[in-house]
Amino acid sequence: MSSPRSWSGLAAALVVVAIGLVVPGSGTAAVPQAFAPKAAAASDAFGATKNLTRVFVDAEGTEKPVAAYDVTVKADQTKNLRGRQRIRISWSGAQPSGGRAANPYGEKGLAQEYPVVVMQCRGRDDASLPAAQQLRPETCWTASVAQRSQVLRSEGEATWRRDLHAADADKAAVTGAEGIAPDACPALDVPSYSTALTPFVTRAGESFPACNSTSMPPEAAVDAAFPPAEIAAFTDENGNGAVNYELRSDVENESLGCNDKVACSVVVIPIVGLSCQKPAVPADLDDKACRKLGRFAPGSSNAIGDGIDLAVGPALWWAESNWRNRFTIPVTFGLPPDTCDVLDSRAPTGFYGSELLAQAGLQWSPAYCLNEQRFKFQLNQTSDIAGFNLMQNGTGPAAVVSSQQDSAGGDPVGYAPTAVTGFAIGYEVDRPDNAGELAGLRLNARLLAKLLSQSYLGSDLGREHPGIGDNPLAMMNDPEFQKLNPGLSEITQEAGATLLSLSNDSDVIEQLTSYLAQDADAAAFLSGTADPWGMEVNPAYKGIELPRPEWPLLDTFIPETENTCRQQNPSVYFSQLAAPVTTLRKISESLLDAWPNVQTKCEFDPSTQLFKIGRVDRQSYGARFVLGVVSLGDAARYGLKTAALQTKKGTYVAPTDASMSRAIALSVQEKPRLPFELDQADVARDGRAYPGTMVVYTAARLRGLDKETATKVAQFIRISTTEGQRRGSGNGQLPAGYLPIAKDGATAKLFRSAQQVAAAIEAQTPAPTQPTDGADGDGGGDGGGDGGTGGADFGTGTGGVLDPPAAVDPGTAPTAVPTTVPVVDSLDPVATASTQVTESGTAGRLLPLLLIAALIGGAVQVTTRFLPRGPRRLS
């Protein structure tokens, strides 16, 4: 049995949001950064090659080539995208970049030479479409004026006016200003200026002239909710480069307006420099700026932002010499989260529980509500125990959990394996000296124990903490971390002293702490044994019992300081560093924006004449260091990099098909229709299994359900474990971040168990007249057959159920798509698209009642916590 959940955990946890590669320690092999499908479907990927040239026309009118490149651009996914999803874009054969900017995003990326510009645009490169649906510079998004408009004092600096390929009208002193009043754009009133404006036209047809910051769309305002996504990316000295590019839907950017009905594109422009027209006279000085070749050598850095040669920079992406070299990648967006509410008037059938199923549920939901032969499925995110309570007391038809939950008795419960996924340690870390992002991170259990136990000091404020004053300030200062990840910056950041995690009960935390408990070094450290470099555990956590479903904030140290802000706001410093949140998605968004949830920023409030403490700023590109516990589904959607975790000494395993299959192969089911257990000691002995692997189960009562409800739950299990296991980005398919459950191979036992549980749920066998073994609520006794009886014909009668996919061979090396690129719940002010599957008005009105029901159920069932427990159930 899993340990009971606490009453306080229940109260905090009911947050409803309707919704192996093995790396030897001595080796240098790259670590894959996120779990993803083994390969993108051919129809979902993009690839194209173009010959890009730059020419100068001499005084005699002869075109002379200056540079020529055969550039290939690829994208790994183009269809059914969702807001803030990242896709992998790579290129080869391009002009090497010079003067690498410290931050390549938005306006800060302009001080580079020969970068590759990547941006999102509305429309398609299709001349057959109506003009309003065609892609043009005016429908491409940038977050600043400087990226789309130029106002220069002299014609000689206005290199776009010498562009060989530009139309004569585009070489005029003023362009793009049609219909703009001079008082709206002061530069238009200065005859000596050369002005080129590239207005932005919204989906609604409104035109923003982009002549200053006040004439830009609202999403481009200073301190906008989302940081810039458009990037001037660096190409290495071999002509290669890659980015994880973030797409924005109309939820994040209404002005751009991309959604499932509005065609959009990602435009990739390798900058090779302007081609220059014939000089007016042989000594035409104004022509020299157009013909410049760059100030920076290939591969060099421009971290301080020195000036560049405009003719080879990204600011003129809209100039015809650059625009004609564009690669246009058509992209489509998936159905919005409210699709089922809009298109299906039926009342939803809500399942309650684990956030680990969120990304799968988002794709599965439309496959139910848009099919009349199926019910209207809705996934509502709660803690596992709260969802289980709602199921047990009859409020919800089924729970979505990732381990066996303690039952209050009564009706037996069956657990049907529904998805294989897990957790990871996501990170955003930059290499020093403007060398780009860290491609692979290695962590062991003791390092994670140090972070969770608040054993790093954070800053000088922590130096007076009793018992640990000599510990490193943060993980980047820890010799153990430096040994595993050499060459990183040692400049202390408070975010490096913590691992952003969950504040409420979660099976993810129990799985993570099981990993710590089985590791001898981590267990010894938490018991009070110093590491080999003398670092001690925070006394508040010495001897903490593991595993456990929640991680408490136990430290009480309040620094004594002369700082006025802290004197007015005395707080437990280490709790401000940890600042856990309520959902895994909030952690993913923190990593996505490189915005730690550390709550130590002091600000003076003029209205109250008092200081206040709040969340620190987003980290600067080039100096990022933030880690957090994320789901594999979120990591795949958002393109988050994930660390490889140590299993055996010197062996580090990342989440891949192969490593997760090995973990499943190690799992054991004690009784039929119960969850599978994964002993982390077995994972360590195996060495190649990923320790964060978890199975998500659909749990439902085996008797006491009405026929209609039982049929719906059984249908869901059968569909989700057959057609729902087919990888893809379409409705009803399995998204990236999940390992398919198959009829054969390592996951075959999960498939068989799911069908047995579906049959038992559908059968709803009455209670026996005489007590029998298994009638104690653990699902192991009565209530069904072996999958071949009791209505277990999962090939018919379920609205078109398909066979499951072929197995993944756990011994086969994976070809996972890499993702190298780039509460205090204070993450809430960022207004983002929900990862909800659906959220109906009816469900919203029922929520308070369901919360009360779950808490009442928890009060009856949960009064104490039993720790430690035996081998961790695979979840």
Side-chain angles (χ1 to χ4, degrees):
M1 290 289 186
S2 63
S3 53
R5 303 294 191 259
S6 69
W7 173 264
S8 60
L10 270 175
L14 189 58
V15 180
V16 174
V17 183
I19 0 187
L21 184 64
V22 178
V23 185
S26 58
T28 58
V31 180
Q33 281 73 49
F35 182 60
K38 295 187 71 173
S43 61
D44 203 14
F46 170 90
T49 300
K50 288 185 178 182
N51 178 258
L52 310 183
T53 60
R54 185 186 189 191
V55 300
F56 294 163
V57 180
D58 64 18
E60 287 72 39
T62 303
E63 291 189 4
K64 293 187 175 181
V66 178
Y69 300 93
D70 289 321
V71 181
T72 298
V73 172
K74 297 179 180 180
D76 68 342
Q77 187 175 349
T78 62
K79 296 181 179 179
N80 300 307
L81 303 175
R82 302 189 184 279
R84 306 214 72 187
Q85 181 171 347
R86 287 177 175 178
I87 63 174
R88 177 78 167 175
I89 297 175
S90 60
W91 56 90
S92 60
Q95 160 77 46
S97 301
R100 184 175 197 152
N103 183 346
Y105 290 95
E107 184 176 2
K108 294 182 179 179
L110 295 180
Q112 297 181 92
E113 294 177 340
Y114 300 108
V116 173
V117 175
V118 185
M119 56 178 54
Q120 185 176 344
C121 308
R122 190 177 61 259
R124 294 284 170 81
D125 255 339
D126 185 346
S128 67
L129 293 173
Q133 299 177 27
Q134 292 187 30
L135 179 148
R136 60 190 194 279
E138 291 79 6
T139 65
C140 291
W141 178 262
T142 67
S144 71
V145 172
Q147 293 171 266
R148 59 190 316 112
S149 298
Q150 292 289 318
V151 180
L152 297 177
R153 293 177 181 273
S154 87
E155 181 180 344
E157 296 172 350
T159 55
W160 66 88
R161 299 186 64 183
R162 304 289 172 162
D163 188 343
L164 171 65
H165 301 296
D168 289 340
D170 293 331
K171 299 177 184 177
V174 177
T175 61
E178 296 79 6
I180 301 175
D183 58 349
C185 227
L188 300 179
D189 251 351
V190 184
S192 61
Y193 284 8
S194 290
T195 301
L197 306 181
T198 306
F200 179 78
V201 179
T202 70
R203 175 189 170 191
E206 183 179 2
S207 181
F208 288 84
C211 60
N212 52 41
S213 60
T214 62
S215 59
M216 289 286 286
E219 295 87 350
V222 177
D223 294 328
F226 301 101
E230 67 279 5
I231 183 172
F234 202 76
T235 301
D236 67 21
E237 295 178 70
N238 296 318
N240 303 319
V243 296
N244 277 8
Y245 183 74
E246 180 183 324
L247 278 294
R248 304 274 168 86
S249 72
D250 58 355
V251 175
E252 296 84 28
N253 192 328
E254 184 178 0
S255 295
L256 183 59
C258 298
N259 59 33
D260 61 307
K261 296 182 176 63
V262 177
C264 287
S265 302
V266 173
V267 171
V268 179
I269 306 174
I271 302 296
V272 297
L274 297 185
S275 292
C276 302
Q277 65 186 19
K278 177 182 176 180
V281 294
D284 186 356
L285 297 178
D286 289 341
D287 184 63
K288 289 186 177 180
C290 181
R291 296 172 185 258
K292 289 184 176 180
L293 301 177
R295 306 179 188 184
F296 292 89
S300 61
S301 174
N302 186 22
I304 61 175
D306 281 343
I308 65 165
D309 287 342
L310 185 63
V312 296
L316 302 184
W317 60 267
W318 44 266
E320 184 57 28
S321 282
N322 289 321
W323 184 248
R324 72 202 311 262
N325 289 337
R326 69 189 179 276
F327 291 77
T328 302
I329 305 173
V331 295
T332 64
F333 281 78
L335 294 173
D338 63 351
T339 294
C340 287
D341 277 348
V342 172
L343 300 180
D344 188 350
S345 61
R346 295 177 295 172
T349 299
F351 289 25
Y352 296 84
S354 177
E355 187 180 0
L356 292 176
L357 197 64
Q359 297 301 336
L362 190 63
Q363 286 191 194
W364 287 352
S365 180
Y368 287 83
C369 69
L370 301 182
N371 187 332
E372 293 181 354
Q373 299 180 42
R374 299 176 181 176
F375 65 98
K376 185 178 179 180
F377 166 71
Q378 176 173 285
L379 176 61
N380 301 300
Q381 178 204 315
T382 70
S383 67
D384 293 56
I385 185 61
F388 189 81
N389 286 339
L390 289 169
M391 177 275 298
Q392 271 213 312
N393 66 28
T395 306
V400 179
V401 299
S402 40
S403 72
Q404 185 178 350
Q405 307 296 309
D406 284 331
S407 173
D411 297 330
V413 174
Y415 294 78
T418 305
V420 179
T421 182
F423 76 87
I425 306 302
Y427 69 92
E428 198 65 72
V429 176
D430 289 320
R431 295 182 293 166
D433 301 322
N434 200 27
E437 299 173 335
L438 181 66
L441 184 72
R442 293 188 291 189
L443 297 173
N444 60 33
R446 183 164 57 197
L447 285 170
L448 295 178
K450 292 175 179 180
L451 290 167
L452 286 170
S453 65
Q454 303 179 4
S455 296
Y456 294 111
L457 304 180
S459 71
D460 287 340
L461 288 172
R463 290 195 185 276
E464 299 304 317
H465 192 294
I468 56 173
D470 293 329
N471 281 2
L473 294 180
M475 192 162 70
M476 64 272 292
N477 311 120
D478 187 342
E480 182 171 19
F481 176 78
Q482 294 168 356
K483 183 177 180 181
L484 292 182
N485 302 279
L488 296 179
S489 172
E490 297 180 24
I491 298 174
T492 302
Q493 296 187 59
E494 287 180 314
T498 187
L499 175 71
L500 185 54
S501 187
L502 293 171
S503 59
N504 47 281
D505 282 18
S506 171
D507 279 359
V508 169
I509 299 302
E510 193 159 6
Q511 180 86 338
L512 172 59
T513 56
S514 293
Y515 170 64
L516 304 186
Q518 66 78 32
D519 183 85
D521 291 339
F525 178 80
L526 292 173
S527 297
T529 301
D531 77 358
W533 298 270
M535 182 172 174
E536 302 274 1
V537 68
N538 184 331
Y541 289 90
K542 183 177 179 180
I544 189 170
E545 293 183 282
L546 299 179
R548 57 191 308 122
E550 45 72 38
W551 191 263
L553 299 180
L554 300 178
D555 194 80
T556 59
F557 172 68
I558 299 176
E560 294 183 5
T561 174
E562 298 301 319
N563 182 283
T564 304
C565 175
R566 288 206 158 268
Q567 288 178 344
Q568 291 183 3
N569 300 274
S571 301
V572 177
Y573 178 54
F574 286 2
S575 294
Q576 291 176 315
L577 296 179
V581 295
T582 54
T583 66
L584 294 171
R585 176 175 174 171
K586 291 178 180 179
I587 300 174
S588 295
E589 289 173 345
S590 179
L591 294 175
L592 190 61
D593 295 333
W595 193 3
N597 202 41
V598 172
Q599 305 289 321
T600 59
K601 180 181 179 181
C602 280
E603 291 184 303
F604 183 72
D605 186 349
S607 63
T608 63
Q609 294 296 299
L610 296 174
F611 285 95
K612 59 182 181 180
I613 295 181
R615 189 178 182 185
V616 298
D617 294 329
R618 288 187 175 101
Q619 293 179 336
S620 299
Y621 192 93
R624 296 172 298 176
F625 194 106
V626 58
L627 296 88
V629 181
V630 298
S631 71
L632 292 180
D634 283 354
R637 172 177 172 179
Y638 299 122
L640 302 175
K641 294 179 286 296
T642 57
L645 302 180
Q646 180 177 277
T647 51
K648 292 181 176 180
K649 290 289 186 183
T651 301
Y652 295 82
V653 181
T656 65
D657 283 354
S659 65
M660 295 176 70
S661 292
R662 292 192 72 88
I664 295 297
L666 295 172
S667 65
V668 177
Q669 187 180 39
E670 292 181 352
K671 293 182 180 180
R673 297 189 290 277
L674 289 184
F676 289 77
E677 296 181 354
L678 177 65
D679 190 335
Q680 289 289 344
D682 292 338
V683 172
R685 282 189 291 269
D686 177 81
R688 291 184 289 170
Y690 179 62
T693 305
M694 302 176 74
V695 175
V696 179
Y697 300 89
T698 301
R701 290 180 292 160
L702 301 183
R703 60 173 177 255
L705 290 180
D706 61 82
K707 182 177 180 180
E708 180 182 2
T709 301
T711 300
K712 288 179 179 179
V713 176
Q715 182 189 67
F716 173 78
I717 294 169
R718 291 165 180 156
I719 293 173
S720 64
T721 54
T722 52
E723 66 181 71
Q725 299 300 315
R726 296 184 182 278
R727 275 178 163 159
S729 60
N731 294 335
Q733 295 181 317
L734 189 70
Y738 296 83
L739 175 72
I741 295 174
K743 271 188 174 180
D744 51 12
T747 60
K749 58 189 177 185
L750 304 183
F751 176 77
R752 290 192 298 269
S753 180
Q755 310 319 310
Q756 293 170 6
V757 174
I761 292 172
E762 190 169 49
Q764 290 294 295
T765 303
T769 56
Q770 298 294 328
T772 63
D773 290 340
D776 57 357
D778 67 359
D782 56 17
D786 61 1
T789 61
D793 182 8
F794 54 88
T796 60
T798 57
V801 176
L802 305 176
D803 284 337
V808 175
D809 181 0
T812 302
T815 56
V817 179
T819 56
T820 53
V821 216
V823 127
V824 193
D825 276 345
S826 58
L827 294 89
D828 290 332
V830 180
T832 62
S834 172
T835 52
Q836 301 169 354
V837 175
T838 57
E839 184 175 4
S840 71
T842 301
R845 290 188 293 272
L846 285 174
L847 177 56
L849 298 177
L850 297 180
L851 173 58
I852 293 170
L855 294 178
I856 291 173
V860 173
Q861 140 178 7
V862 182
T863 57
T864 59
R865 186 184 306 279
F866 301 98
L867 292 169
R869 54 182 283 184
R872 179 64 167 85
R873 284 168 174 75
L874 180 64
S875 45

